[in-house]
C-alpha cells in the first residue's frame, strides 16, 4: 500500500468558486455533482481515506458525450480487496483504543471501491478530496478542515500510479529489489516484459535508468504485452524471447497477461528460462499448474512483505452488515461482502430472486460457519502495508498536534493547526515518522519522502508429486544508511535446470584477469570482446575496463594478470658463455704462469737471456694481467667493476704493448750496434732507458684512465631499450671520448710496434724475433680492428662477451706468437738453445 500525501500540489480538498448566484460578499464551495460509489464509512474528528478493489468488474457507461453518463455498476466481489479495507478499519479502531497515540482525537474513515477501473478510482479520489456536502462556507482565506488528511492507496500499481499523479509522487521500489537479485547472481543480460499500462511503463522507465552503467546490467529486449489474446503479437514476443541469448526474463505484468503469454510459451516450447516475477503475479495460484510448471518452475518473485497483525482475525469476525442502508449508499461494501459470502440478498431483493429460490439475508448469519478466504490471516502482505500506512499517518498527526506554540518547525516557529491544515505541513511530520511495528519492522521515510520498503523473495518449487509450493527464500530491505540490502538463502532456492544451479545470463562472458573489455560497436554496454592486455600491461580484476602498465622494473606475467620482476641479463659466471670465457681466461693465466716458470727455470740459457730477459718476464706478467682483467667483464656490473674493468684492461695492454715496442727497439739497437760505428746504440738504449720507456708509456695510459674516471666515470646501468621484458645490466662507459682515447692509444702503440718489427724482419740471424713480433702485432691489430664494429653492433651482455673475446684472443695471439717458438726450443729442441745457434748465420737444424 502507498500513502498518498500531496507534496507538490496544494491539496485543497475542495474547490472554491465564485458563482453567479453567490453574493458579492460571500465565498463558498459548491459541489458540482456526486458520485454514487460503494463505500464504508465511520465518523471521527479526523477522517482518513482509502481506495481499494472490492469488485473485479464494472459495467462501463455510455461515453458518447451526448448525454450524462449513468453511474457504473460493479460486480464480481473481491474478498481479498474487502479484507484490505477491513484491515484499514481495524488499524483505525486499534489506534482509537490507544491512550498514548492521538489521545484526544478520534479517527474516522471513508473507504471506497474502485471496481478495478481507473475511472472509478478517480471518482473515488475526487470524492475523498472534495467531500460530499452540497455547499461549504469557507473562511475569508478559503481555508478549512480538509475532508480527509490522507489516502491509503490501492494494491494495484496501475491505479495507484494514476491517482498519485494527481495526489502526490510515485516511484517503483520493486525495480530496485529486482536489480539486487540480478546483481547477486551476476545476471547482466535480461529481457523485460511489461504490461501496457502505467504499472509496466513506470517499471520499464525505472529499469532503463537504474539498470544502466551504474546498475551493471543491460536489457536484451523490452516488449509490451498486449491486453487480451492477441495471438500474433504474443507469437512475435515469444519468438524474440526464444532467439535472445538472455536466459533471464523479468515480467512486470498481471495474472491475465501471464496466462496468455504462457500459452504461447508452451506452444513454442521455450524452455530454459529463469523468470523473475513482479508482485503483480508472484503469488498467482492460477499459474501453478502441471501444464505450466515445467516452464515456470524455479521462478523468483518479488512479494510484499508478509507481516502479522495481532487481533485482526477477531476484528474480521465482528464484521456485520448495515441493515439500515441499501447497497447504493452507506456501508454498501459490507453488505456486498455479506451477500457474496452467504449467497443471499438483502431486502428488497432483485426481481425474481425469491421466486428463483434465493434466500434473504438476515444479518445474523455466522461468518465462522462458512469457508471463506476472508478469515485467512496467515499470509498478510498488502494488509500489512495498509496497517503500517495508517499508523504512519497517525504518528505524523500525533507529532503535529503535540507542537508547542512558538517552537514549531514552520516560519516564525509556528505550528500547524488542524482547522487550517495545509497538506505540506502534515507531509513534514510524515517525513519524520520512525516507528517499529509489533512484527519488528521499522517504518520510516528517506530523503525523497519514500517509505523504506521490505520485500520478500519468493521461489516457485515444483515438487516431485507435481504440486507447487511458493516458499520464501530471502528479502530485500532498504535502510536509510545501507541502502538496498539483499539477504538470500541460495541453498534453499529451487532451480528448474538439469544442473540445479543458477543459470548464466550474460551477453558476453566476463573478461578474466589479463584482459580488458572492448565494447562491440552498436551493441549494449554488456556486449563486449575480451582483448588480452598488451606486453607490459596487466589487469588483475574481472571485467577490467583498462590494462595498467607495470612499473619500470616489472613486466607482465604470461597470463597478464600481475606484474613480475623483469628478467635480468648480464654476462654471468653461471651461463655457458660466461663459463667458457672464465675458463679460457684462467687457462691463459695458467699458461702465462707456466711459461714464466719455464723462463725462470731456464733463465741462464741463451734464448731467455737474448734480447733482455727482464722484458720477457715483464711481458709475461702483463699478459697474465690481460687474461685476468677479462674476469672484470663477467658477473653483475658493480660500481667498482665498471670503474676498474676498462682501466685495468687499458693499463695492462699498454704495459704489454710497451714491452713489445721496447723489445722491438732493442732488436733494432742490437743489430745496429753490430755494425761499424753503431756501438753507441746500446749505450743510449740500455736497461734503464728501456724501463723508463715502458714506465712512461704506461703512465700516459694511466693518466688517460684517471682523467676518464674523474670526468665521467663508468657506472652500472639498467638498460631497458634492448628488450622490453628484460633489464640488461651493463656498464655505461660514461665518456665515449675517454673510451675511444684509451683504445686509440693502445692501437697507436700496437701500430708503431708493428711498423718497427716490420722494418726489422730481414735482419740476419737464425732466430729473428722481429718476425715473431710482426706476426703477433698483426694478430693483435686484426683482433681489435674487428672488435670495434662487433662491439658497437652487439647488445647487452654480448658487447661484454665481444670485448672479453677480443682481450683473450689478442692475449693468446701475443702469448703464442712471442713465447710459443721459444718454449718449443727450450723444451723440445734444446740443441738450438745456444748462443751460436741464435747468432749464427744460415740454417741450423
Amino acid at each position: 500500500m502507498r500513502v498518498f500525501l500531496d507534496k507538490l500540489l496544494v491539496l485543497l480538498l475542495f474547490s472554491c468558486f465564485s458563482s453567479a448566484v453567490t453574493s458579492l460578499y460571500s465565498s463558498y464551495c459548491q459541489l458540482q455533482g456526486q458520485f454514487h460509489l460503494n463505500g464504508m464509512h465511520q465518523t471521527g474528528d479526523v477522517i482518513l481515506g482509502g481506495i481499494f478493489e472490492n469488485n473485479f468488474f464494472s459495467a462501463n457507461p455510455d461515453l458518447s458525450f451526448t448525454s450524462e453518463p449513468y453511474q457504473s455498476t460493479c460486480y464480481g466481489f473481491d474478498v481479498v480487496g474487502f479484507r484490505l479495507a477491513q484491515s484499514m478499519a481495524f488499524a483505525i479502531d486499534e489506534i482509537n483504543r490507544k491512550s498514548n497515540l492521538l489521545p484526544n482525537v478520534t479517527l474516522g474513515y471513508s473507504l471506497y471501491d474502485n471496481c478495478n477501473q481507473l475511472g472509478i478510482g478517480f471518482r473515488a479520489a475526487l470524492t475523498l478530496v472534495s467531500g460530499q456536502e452540497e455547499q461549504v462556507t469557507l473562511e475569508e482565506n478559503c481555508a478549512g478542515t480538509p475532508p480527509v488528511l490522507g489516502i491509503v492507496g490501492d494494491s494495484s500499481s496501475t491505479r495507484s500510479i494514476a491517482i498519485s499523479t494527481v495526489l502526490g509522487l510515485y516511484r517503483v521500489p520493486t525495480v530496485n529489489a529486482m536489480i539486487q537479485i540480478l546483481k547477486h547472481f551476476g545476471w547482466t543480460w535480461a529481457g523485460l516484459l511489461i504490461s501496457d499500462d502505467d504499472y509496466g511503463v513506470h517499471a520499464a522507465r525505472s529499469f532503463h535508468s537504474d539498470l544502466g552503467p551504474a546498475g551493471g546490467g543491460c536489457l536484451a529486449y523490452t516488449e509490451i504485452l498486449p491486453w487480451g489474446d492477441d495471438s500474433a503479437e504474443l507469437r512475435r514476443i515469444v519468438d524474440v524471447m526464444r532467439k535472445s541469448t538472455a536466459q533471464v526474463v523479468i515480467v512486470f505484468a498481471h495474472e491475465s497477461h501471464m496466462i496468455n503469454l504462457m500459452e504461447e510459451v508452451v506452444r513454442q516450447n521455450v524452455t530454459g528460462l529463469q523468470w523473475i516475477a513482479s508482485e503483480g503475479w508472484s503469488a498467482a495460484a492460477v499459474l501453478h499448474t502441471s501444464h505450466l510448471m515445467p516452464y515456470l518452475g524455479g521462478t523468483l518473485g518479488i512479494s510484499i512483505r508478509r507481516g502479522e497483525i495481532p487481533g485482526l482475525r477477531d476484528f474480521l469476525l465482528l464484521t456485520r452488515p448495515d441493515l439500515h442502508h441499501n447497497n447504493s449508499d452507506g456501508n454498501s461494501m459490507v453488505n456486498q461482502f455479506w451477500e457474496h459470502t452467504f449467497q443471499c440478498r438483502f431486502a428488497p431483493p432483485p426481481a425474481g430472486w425469491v421466486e428463483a429460490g434465493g434466500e434473504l439475508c438476515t444479518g445474523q448469519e455466522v461468518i465462522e460457519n462458512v469457508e471463506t478466504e476472508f478469515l485467512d490471516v496467515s499470509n498478510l502482505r498488502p494488509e500489512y502495508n495498509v496497517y503500517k500506512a495508517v499508523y504512519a499517518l497517525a504518528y505524523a498527526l500525533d507529532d503535529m498536534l503535540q507542537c508547542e506554540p512558538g517552537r514549531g518547525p514552520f516560519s516564525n516557529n509556528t505550528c500547524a493547526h488542524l482547522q487550517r491544515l495545509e497538506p505540506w505541513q502534515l507531509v513534514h511530520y510524515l517525513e519524520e515518522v520512525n516507528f517499529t511495528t509489533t512484527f519488528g519492522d521499522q517504518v520510516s521515510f528517506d530523503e525523497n519522502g519514500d517509505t523504506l520498503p521490505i520485500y520478500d523473495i519468493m521461489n516457485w518449487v515444483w515438487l516431485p508429486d507435481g504440486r507447487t509450493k511458493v516458499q520464501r527464500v530471502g528479502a530485500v530491505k532498504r535502510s536509510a544508511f545501507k541502502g538496498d540490502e539483499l539477504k538470500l538463502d541460495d541453498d534453499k532456492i529451487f532451480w528448474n535446470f538439469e544442473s540445479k544451479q543458477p543459470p548464466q545470463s550474460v551477453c558476453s562472458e566476463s573478461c578474466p584477469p589479463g584482459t580488458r573489455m572492448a565494447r562491440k560497436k552498436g551493441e549494449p554496454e554488456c556486449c563486449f570482446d575480451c582483448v588480452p592486455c598488451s606486453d607490459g600491461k596487466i589487469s588483475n580484476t574481472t571485467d577490467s575496463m583498462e590494462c595498467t602498465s607495470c612499473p619500470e622494473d616489472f613486466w607482465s606475467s604470461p597470463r597478464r594478470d600481475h606484474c613480475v620482476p623483469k628478467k635480468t641479463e648480464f654476462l654471468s659466471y653461471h651461463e655457458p658463455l660466461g663459463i667458457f670465457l672464465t675458463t679460457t681466461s684462467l687457462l691463459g693465466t695458467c699458461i702465462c704462469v707456466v711459461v714464466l716458470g719455464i723462463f725462470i727455470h731456464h733463465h741462464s740459457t741463451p734464448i731467455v737471456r737474448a734480447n733482455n730477459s727482464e722484458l720477457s718476464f715483464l711481458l709475461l706478467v702483463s699478459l697474465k694481467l690481460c687474461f685476468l682483467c677479462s674476469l672484470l667483464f663477467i658477473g653483475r656490473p658493480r660500481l667498482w667493476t665498471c670503474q676498474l674493468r676498462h682501466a685495468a684492461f687499458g693499463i695492462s695492454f699498454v704495459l704489454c704493448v710497451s714491452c713489445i715496442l721496447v723489445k722491438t727497439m732493442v732488436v733494432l739497437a742490437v743489430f745496429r750496434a753490430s755494425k761499424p760505428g753503431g756501438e753507441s746504440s746500446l749505450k743510449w738504449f740500455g736497461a734503464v732507458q728501456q724501463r723508463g720507456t715502458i714506465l712512461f708509456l704506461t703512465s700516459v695510459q694511466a693518466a688517460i684512465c684517471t682523467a676518464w674516471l674523474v670526468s665521467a666515470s663508468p657506472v652500472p646501468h639498467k638498460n631497458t631499450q634492448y628488450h622490453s621484458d628484460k633489464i640488461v645490466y651493463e656498464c655505461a662507459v660514461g665518456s665515449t671520448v675517454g673510451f675511444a682515447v684509451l683504445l686509440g692509444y693502445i692501437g697507436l702503440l700496437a701500430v708503431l710496434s708493428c711498423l718497427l718489427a716490420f722494418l726489422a724482419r730481414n735482419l740476419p740471424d737464425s732466430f729473428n724475433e722481429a718476425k715473431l713480433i710482426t706476426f703477433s702485432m698483426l694478430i693483435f691489430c686484426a683482433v681489435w680492428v674487428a672488435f670495434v664494429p662487433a662491439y658497437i653492433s652487439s647488445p647487452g651482455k654480448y658487447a661484454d662477451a665481444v670485448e672479453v673475446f677480443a682481450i683473450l684472443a689478442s692475449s693468446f695471439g701475443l702469448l703464442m706468437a712471442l713465447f710459443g717458438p721459444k718454449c718449443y726450443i727450450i723444451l723440445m729442441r734444446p740443441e738450438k738453445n745456444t748462443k751460436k745457434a741464435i747468432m749464427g748465420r744460415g740454417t741450423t737444424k
Side-chain angles (χ1 to χ4, degrees):
M1 296 302 103
R2 299 167 182 84
V3 180
F4 295 109
L5 293 175
D6 187 17
K7 301 178 187 177
L8 300 180
L9 306 177
V10 178
L11 188 59
L12 283 178
L13 306 184
F14 37 84
S15 304
C16 293
F17 298 91
S18 293
S19 174
V21 299
T22 307
S23 72
L24 205 58
Y25 302 99
S26 64
S27 180
Y28 60 88
C29 281
Q30 177 83 35
L31 191 65
Q32 302 299 304
Q34 286 187 333
F35 301 115
H36 297 285
L37 303 168
N38 298 323
M40 186 170 69
H41 309 277
Q42 177 176 297
T43 60
D45 301 327
V46 175
I47 304 299
L48 301 182
I51 302 175
F52 304 98
E53 177 191 301
N54 279 250
N55 284 276
F56 288 115
F57 310 105
S58 66
N60 294 324
D62 177 24
L63 297 179
S64 62
F65 302 99
T66 58
S67 61
E68 181 180 354
Y70 60 84
Q71 300 291 333
S72 300
T73 302
C74 301
Y75 59 96
F77 195 79
D78 181 5
V79 174
V80 175
F82 180 66
R83 188 172 63 198
L84 289 175
Q86 286 293 81
S87 299
M88 181 171 178
F90 168 75
I92 291 175
D93 180 73
E94 187 178 66
I95 292 170
N96 287 336
R97 288 184 281 109
K98 289 180 178 290
S99 60
N100 60 341
L101 183 61
L102 296 173
N104 299 319
V105 176
T106 300
L107 296 180
Y109 55 78
S110 287
L111 312 180
Y112 288 107
D113 176 15
N114 63 28
C115 302
N116 198 21
Q117 287 291 327
L118 279 177
I120 298 177
F122 275 121
R123 295 172 188 172
L126 291 174
T127 298
L128 287 172
V129 300
S130 301
Q132 290 295 294
E133 297 183 36
E134 292 286 344
Q135 179 174 314
V136 178
T137 302
L138 299 176
E139 298 179 6
E140 190 172 317
N141 59 354
C142 199
T145 304
V148 295
L149 287 185
I151 300 176
V152 178
D154 192 353
S155 62
S156 169
S157 293
T158 295
R159 292 181 292 276
S160 296
I161 296 168
I163 296 173
S164 70
T165 59
V166 177
L167 301 182
L169 300 176
Y170 180 78
R171 290 175 178 83
V172 189
T174 52
V175 170
N176 295 318
M178 289 186 174
I179 291 177
Q180 292 297 312
I181 296 177
L182 296 178
K183 288 182 178 180
H184 178 79
F185 291 108
W187 295 332
T188 59
W189 190 236
L192 177 63
L193 305 180
I194 61 173
S195 55
D196 190 11
D197 53 19
D198 287 340
Y199 177 54
V201 171
H202 278 74
R205 186 179 303 159
S206 297
F207 261 109
H208 280 283
S209 61
D210 297 344
L211 196 63
C218 303
L219 291 176
Y221 54 85
T222 301
E223 297 292 340
I224 300 177
L225 297 173
W227 289 100
D229 187 14
D230 187 344
S231 57
E233 180 64 10
L234 288 173
R235 190 180 306 114
R236 185 193 67 80
I237 293 174
V238 174
D239 189 57
V240 171
M241 296 166 54
R242 180 173 54 82
K243 293 179 179 178
S244 175
T245 57
Q247 288 190 269
V248 174
V249 181
I250 306 167
V251 184
F252 259 89
H254 311 280
E255 293 181 19
S256 59
H257 292 98
M258 285 302 298
I259 293 173
N260 296 330
L261 174 67
M262 292 311 299
E263 288 179 358
E264 184 62 26
V265 169
V266 173
R267 192 188 71 81
Q268 295 193 27
N269 194 29
V270 181
T271 59
L273 296 179
Q274 175 63 47
W275 298 83
I276 298 183
S278 66
E279 79 280 3
W281 64 279
S282 61
V286 69
L287 300 174
H288 299 166
T289 65
S290 58
H291 180 58
L292 297 180
M293 284 309 292
Y295 304 88
L296 290 175
T299 294
L300 291 174
I302 304 296
S303 181
I304 298 171
R305 167 78 161 174
R306 188 192 72 83
E308 295 180 0
I309 307 177
L312 176 60
R313 191 175 190 279
D314 295 336
F315 180 82
L316 297 178
L317 289 171
L318 297 177
T319 303
R320 289 290 181 272
D322 187 351
L323 300 178
H324 302 289
H325 297 84
N326 57 32
N327 285 358
S328 62
D329 54 12
N331 292 331
S332 57
M333 285 168 51
V334 179
N335 291 0
Q336 286 185 350
F337 161 73
W338 206 264
E339 291 180 343
H340 171 79
T341 301
F342 296 103
Q343 294 297 301
C344 61
R345 294 292 182 269
F346 285 101
W353 174 262
V354 176
E355 290 77 7
E359 298 183 358
L360 295 177
C361 299
T362 65
Q364 303 303 315
E365 290 85 358
V366 181
I367 299 179
E368 286 184 298
N369 292 342
V370 296
E371 185 176 345
T372 173
E373 190 179 359
F374 178 67
L375 298 177
D376 184 7
V377 295
S378 62
N379 192 32
L380 300 177
R381 295 184 184 277
E383 295 86 351
Y384 185 49
N385 269 7
V386 168
Y387 182 79
K388 292 189 293 184
V390 173
Y391 264 89
L393 286 170
Y395 275 108
L397 182 60
D398 186 63
D399 290 343
M400 185 189 77
L401 296 178
Q402 292 182 23
C403 178
E404 299 180 9
R407 303 180 64 180
F410 307 117
S411 60
N412 299 324
N413 297 323
T414 58
C415 296
H417 296 281
L418 191 60
Q419 289 73 22
R420 297 185 300 277
L421 178 64
E422 297 287 346
W424 58 267
Q425 294 175 322
L426 182 60
V427 169
H428 168 79
Y429 287 99
L430 189 63
E431 291 174 343
E432 303 296 325
V433 162
N434 193 333
F435 67 94
T436 302
T437 67
T438 55
F439 191 58
D441 289 334
Q442 183 182 10
V443 179
S444 60
F445 299 85
D446 61 16
E447 65 277 3
N448 297 320
D450 297 325
T451 56
L452 302 178
I454 305 176
Y455 293 102
D456 287 338
I457 310 299
M458 311 304 292
N459 180 227
W460 292 16
V461 182
W462 189 19
L463 299 174
D465 59 4
R467 293 183 300 109
T468 301
K469 179 176 110 175
V470 180
Q471 64 177 0
R472 180 180 180 272
V473 293
V476 176
K477 180 179 180 180
R478 180 185 297 173
S479 65
F481 303 102
K482 297 182 180 179
D484 291 333
E485 184 178 1
L486 173 67
K487 293 184 178 179
L488 207 58
D489 187 354
D490 291 6
D491 297 333
K492 194 176 179 181
I493 298 177
F494 168 77
W495 301 105
N496 195 27
F497 302 95
E498 291 184 3
S499 64
K500 302 303 179 184
Q501 297 293 323
Q504 296 293 321
S505 187
V506 294
C507 181
S508 300
E509 293 292 335
S510 294
C511 291
T515 63
R516 65 174 178 85
M517 298 165 55
R519 285 276 306 275
K520 292 182 178 179
K521 188 176 181 179
E523 297 191 24
E525 292 185 355
C526 298
C527 301
F528 48 83
D529 293 320
C530 297
V531 179
C533 293
S534 57
D535 291 342
K537 294 186 176 182
I538 65 157
S539 65
N540 54 11
T541 59
T542 302
D543 290 336
S544 177
M545 296 297 297
E546 296 292 339
C547 296
T548 57
S549 298
C550 290
E552 182 181 4
D553 291 346
F554 290 81
W555 193 248
S556 54
S557 64
R559 298 171 63 97
R560 307 288 198 274
D561 56 356
H562 66 283
C563 293
V564 296
K566 287 184 177 180
K567 295 179 181 178
T568 57
E569 183 180 88
F570 53 88
L571 188 57
S572 171
Y573 287 107
H574 305 289
E575 61 179 301
L577 181 59
I579 294 173
F580 170 74
L581 294 176
T582 301
T583 303
T584 305
S585 174
L586 295 177
L587 177 63
T589 304
C590 292
I591 293 175
C592 288
V593 172
V594 170
V595 172
L596 182 59
I598 293 173
F599 270 54
I600 292 174
H601 185 267
H602 299 277
H603 69 281
S604 59
T605 61
I607 201 167
V608 175
R609 295 180 61 189
N611 202 2
N612 196 340
S613 60
E614 183 180 344
L615 288 177
S616 298
F617 295 150
L618 185 58
L619 179 56
L620 285 171
V621 171
S622 64
L623 282 174
K624 184 170 68 173
L625 293 177
C626 290
F627 281 114
L628 291 176
C629 77
S630 64
L631 298 178
L632 295 174
F633 293 83
I634 304 174
R636 182 165 180 169
R638 309 288 181 184
L639 179 60
W640 68 272
T641 58
C642 288
Q643 293 177 338
L644 188 59
R645 60 168 56 173
H646 287 106
F649 152 70
I651 295 174
S652 298
F653 266 88
V654 165
L655 177 61
C656 178
V657 176
S658 298
C659 291
I660 295 174
L661 178 60
V662 171
K663 283 179 70 70
T664 307
M665 295 171 66
V666 169
V667 171
L668 289 174
V670 169
F671 283 98
R672 180 172 294 182
S674 63
K675 296 179 179 180
E679 294 84 357
S680 60
S681 298
L682 287 178
K683 178 181 178 183
W684 293 105
F685 201 68
V688 175
Q689 287 79 8
Q690 295 172 20
R691 296 190 195 102
T693 302
I694 294 173
L695 179 61
F696 172 75
L697 295 176
T698 305
S699 298
V700 172
Q701 184 73 308
I704 293 173
C705 292
T706 302
W708 179 16
L709 294 177
V710 171
S711 61
S713 174
V715 292
H717 173 62
K718 294 189 294 186
N719 193 321
T720 58
Q721 303 301 316
Y722 299 140
H723 306 283
S724 55
D725 60 339
K726 293 180 182 179
I727 298 177
V728 178
Y729 285 97
E730 60 184 10
C731 287
V733 295
S735 173
T736 305
V737 174
F739 186 43
V741 171
L742 180 143
L743 291 179
Y745 184 65
I746 297 175
L748 176 63
L749 297 181
V751 170
L752 184 58
S753 298
C754 186
L755 289 176
L756 292 179
F758 180 77
L759 294 175
R761 70 188 185 284
N762 295 323
L763 295 179
D765 68 333
S766 178
F767 185 81
N768 190 349
E769 193 173 13
K771 293 181 180 180
L772 300 180
I773 294 175
T774 302
F775 180 66
S776 66
M777 284 296 98
L778 288 175
I779 295 175
F780 183 87
C781 291
V783 168
W784 286 102
V785 168
F787 158 78
V788 174
Y791 180 84
I792 294 174
S793 62
S794 299
K797 66 177 183 180
Y798 298 104
D800 292 337
V802 167
E803 191 164 358
V804 171
F805 178 80
I807 293 173
L808 296 178
S810 57
S811 299
F812 271 110
L814 295 177
L815 178 63
M816 301 308 297
L818 294 176
F819 295 96
K822 295 179 181 181
C823 290
Y824 173 76
I825 292 174
I826 293 172
L827 298 176
M828 306 302 295
R829 302 292 295 274
E831 70 277 7
K832 289 188 175 184
N833 192 3
T834 63
K835 185 176 181 180
K836 180 180 178 180
I838 294 174
M839 300 299 295
R841 299 177 184 271
T843 303
T844 304
K845 295 184 180 180

